[in-house]
Each structure stands twice: as structure tokens, then as C-alpha cells.
């Protein structure tokens, strides 16, 4: 794995509580980016949380911990939990999350589709209306809206991350299931990765009759009638994928469905996939 020291543009904006941060390393290939990010963050910033600040500034969001505050800045290659893309061509994407949702999958979906130009909204399904969700590896994400707020809107795509028991929390959210059923009835796109195809879609009769995939564990595979081993499977208007390692390919496929092959090839080249 190769790293390069970032020298020209300040991706970390210094704050009074971040004096001890000396440098930022960026992966030379985006294929290693999510692994590198997860490794660095888990070792350098305990009890990390991620707070969207897209409503105030589309070019920044904050990492929060008990004793440090880091503000990540970027001109275009930034991780955002939401984005407000310009122009009427922006597709609207809903990403529901819960406590113990999988953070790599969530980040791949939101970041990649934002690069395509989608307007991505992250919704918390927590029953108390709390926006902050503690993900499966302890990183905290702050959603943009509650699921009840999201229910009043129309979506071009709904994409579910996996993670356990995060997928069970998604399954048990009546408001989310109603949104998904509405999406199915309208023959609009929805997608799920990792545990969610088996835990959320299958028991709610939201999987198509054809092939689908999920995390390759027997308890999950046995509930999918036509389970296959492909990384990403598209059947009718439903897309499924296997897990964290396939989530970038999953997100790129969703972007291609929304914006076409030419745009997808452009994003693939930019991300060095």
C-alpha cells in the first residue's frame, strides 16, 4: 500500500483542539481509501463521530471526539453525509441509517453518489428522533433528517447499508418499510447491501423473484430464494450487494443506473478504480 504526504492543499483545518495533528496521508489509489480511512481513524481518533455540516457549508464536515475537533475540508473530493447538488438534473437519494449500521457501506454510498451529482440525504430511523447514530465499529454519524421527515418526500433511489444489528433496526422501522413499499409499487429504484437484502428486504416481500445477493453467511443466504455469489446483482429495479468490500462497486452501479454509463466511466476514472 502506497501513501503520499499531502503538502499543497490543507485538508485538515486547524482548530484550537487539533494542534497535535501533524500531517495527512492520502492513498494513491481510491481502491484502498476506505480501508486506509477506517484504519487511520480507528487508531488516531478514539470515539470518533462524524457530523454533517452540509447545510451550513457544502465543503466541510466535522470529526468530533471527546477531546479533539477536526474539520475536514476539500474542494471536491470530500466525504459528505449529505449534499445539495446544483441544477434540476440532480437525482434524490435516501440513505437510511440506524445504530450499528455499517459505516464503510454508508460512506461508499453517500460519497460516491454525491460525486455523480446526486442530492443525498441520510435519515435516522431511531425511534426517539435522535439524528446521531453509533455505527457498527463505533464511529458516530449524524443524519440530516429523521425517517418521518424523509417519508414526506419522493426519492429516485433508496439505498440501505448493512451491518448487524443495524439491519434489524432498519427492518423494524415501520416508516422505512412503508417508504420502500411505496418505492416498489412505483417501480422506482431501491437497493441494499450486506445483511440488509436478507434481513430487511426478504421478510418484507421487497426482493424481486429473480436473483439477489447478500453477505455470504448461511443464515442470510438461506432466506433469499435465488441467492447468487456475484458482487453486485441487478434484478428489475432492485440492486443488491455482498458487503463492505463490494460497496464501492455497488455504489458505482447505482450511480450508473441514475446517470448513465458515460457518467459512471467518468467517475470511475476520477476515483482511480
Amino acid at each position: 500500500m502506497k501513501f503520499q504526504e499531502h503538502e499543497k492543499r490543507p485538508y485538515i483545518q486547524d482548530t484550537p483542539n487539533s494542534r497535535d495533528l501533524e500531517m495527512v496521508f492520502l492513498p494513491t489509489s481510491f481502491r484502498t481509501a476506505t480501508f486506509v480511512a477506517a484504519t487511520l481513524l480507528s487508531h488516531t481518533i478514539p470515539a470518533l463521530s462524524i457530523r454533517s455540516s452540509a447545510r451550513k457549508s457544502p465543503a466541510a464536515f466535522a470529526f468530533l471526539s471527546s477531546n479533539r475537533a477536526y474539520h475536514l475540508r476539500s474542494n471536491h473530493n470530500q466525504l459528505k453525509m449529505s449534499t445539495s447538488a446544483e441544477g434540476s438534473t440532480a437525482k434524490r437519494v435516501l440513505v437510511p441509517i440506524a445504530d450499528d449500521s455499517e459505516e464503510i457501506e454508508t460512506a461508499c454510498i453517500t460519497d460516491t453518489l454525491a460525486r455523480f451529482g446526486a442530492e443525498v440525504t441520510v435519515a435516522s430511523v431511531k425511534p426517539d428522533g435522535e439524528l446521531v447514530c453509533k455505527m457498527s465499529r463505533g464511529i458516530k454519524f449524524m443524519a440530516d433528517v429523521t425517517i418521518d421527515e424523509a417519508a414526506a418526500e419522493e426519492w429516485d433511489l433508496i439505498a440501505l447499508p448493512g451491518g448487524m444489528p443495524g439491519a434489524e433496526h432498519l427492518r423494524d422501522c415501520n416508516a422505512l418499510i412503508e417508504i420502500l413499499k411505496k418505492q416498489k409499487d412505483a417501480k422506482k429504484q431501491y437497493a441494499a447491501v450486506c445483511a440488509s437484502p436478507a434481513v430487511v428486504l426478504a421478510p418484507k416481500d421487497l426482493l424481486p423473484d429473480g436473483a439477489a445477493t447478500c453477505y455470504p453467511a448461511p443464515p442470510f443466504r438461506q432466506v433469499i430464494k435465488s441467492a447468487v455469489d456475484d458482487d453486485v446483482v441487478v434484478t428489475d429495479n432492485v440492486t443488491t450487494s455482498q458487503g463492505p468490500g463490494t460497496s464501492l462497486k455497488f455504489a458505482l452501479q447505482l450511480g450508473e443506473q441514475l446517470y448513465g454509463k458515460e457518467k459512471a466511466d467518468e467517475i470511475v476514472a476520477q476515483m482511480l478504480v
Side-chain angles (χ1 to χ4, degrees):
M1 187 181 301
K2 298 180 180 179
F3 294 85
Q4 65 186 34
E5 184 173 347
H6 182 73
E7 298 175 345
K8 295 182 180 180
R9 289 180 295 168
Y11 274 68
I12 298 292
Q13 175 182 324
D14 194 27
T15 70
N17 293 322
S18 61
R19 304 296 184 185
D20 56 338
L21 187 65
E22 297 179 353
M23 65 183 67
V24 179
F25 291 100
L26 298 180
T28 57
S29 168
F30 194 87
R31 278 175 285 187
T32 63
T34 53
F35 172 77
V36 171
T39 302
L40 290 177
L41 293 177
S42 64
H43 284 82
T44 60
I45 310 177
L48 180 71
S49 66
I50 296 178
R51 175 170 58 83
S52 169
S53 59
R55 293 179 180 177
K56 295 182 180 179
S57 169
F61 75 99
F63 291 100
L64 303 176
S65 71
S66 58
N67 59 352
R68 299 177 184 175
Y70 300 114
H71 295 274
L72 185 65
R73 299 186 60 83
S74 170
N75 292 330
H76 58 283
N77 290 335
Q78 71 214 36
L79 175 65
K80 298 186 290 185
M81 300 324 297
S82 69
T83 182
S84 181
E86 296 179 358
S88 59
T89 60
K91 301 294 186 178
R92 304 193 70 215
V93 178
L94 177 65
V95 182
I97 63 172
D99 281 343
D100 297 299
S101 289
E102 216 293 324
E103 47 265 77
I104 289 178
E105 295 161 4
T106 303
C108 277
I109 295 166
T110 54
D111 178 85
T112 303
L113 292 178
R115 292 169 189 265
F116 275 87
E119 180 183 321
V120 183
T121 299
V122 178
S124 167
V125 306
K126 295 178 75 168
D128 60 359
E130 171 62 51
L131 294 180
V132 176
C133 295
K134 186 176 181 180
M135 309 298 271
S136 61
R137 300 305 183 272
I139 298 177
K140 294 178 181 177
F141 283 5
M142 176 175 278
D144 302 294
V145 298
T146 67
I147 195 64
D148 289 332
E149 292 175 295
E153 304 292 333
E154 295 291 328
W155 305 100
D156 296 295
L157 167 69
I158 302 170
L160 310 182
M164 287 293 285
E168 293 176 337
H169 298 323
L170 299 183
R171 177 200 64 201
D172 295 339
C173 176
N174 292 330
L176 173 58
I177 299 305
E178 289 305 311
I179 296 171
L180 287 167
K181 288 180 177 178
K182 179 181 176 182
Q183 199 82 351
K184 177 185 177 181
D185 291 343
K187 300 187 185 309
K188 296 171 75 174
Q189 291 173 288
Y190 57 99
V193 61
C194 196
S196 285
V199 175
V200 183
L201 301 187
K204 300 297 182 179
D205 195 29
L206 290 166
L207 279 179
D209 291 333
T213 194
C214 66
Y215 190 81
F220 298 145
R221 285 296 177 92
Q222 67 187 11
V223 303
I224 295 181
K225 296 178 182 178
S226 301
V228 296
D229 290 327
D230 295 347
D231 289 346
V232 180
V233 177
V234 181
T235 301
D236 299 332
N237 58 320
V238 181
T239 303
T240 53
S241 187
Q242 291 197 18
T246 66
S247 55
L248 180 55
K249 186 183 294 187
F250 173 65
L252 288 167
Q253 173 57 231
L254 297 178
E256 181 175 334
Q257 292 172 22
L258 293 174
Y259 287 94
K261 181 68 162 58
E262 183 177 351
K263 183 64 175 179
D265 289 343
E266 175 188 328
I267 299 300
V268 165
Q270 291 175 2
M271 296 173 72
L272 308 180
V273 178

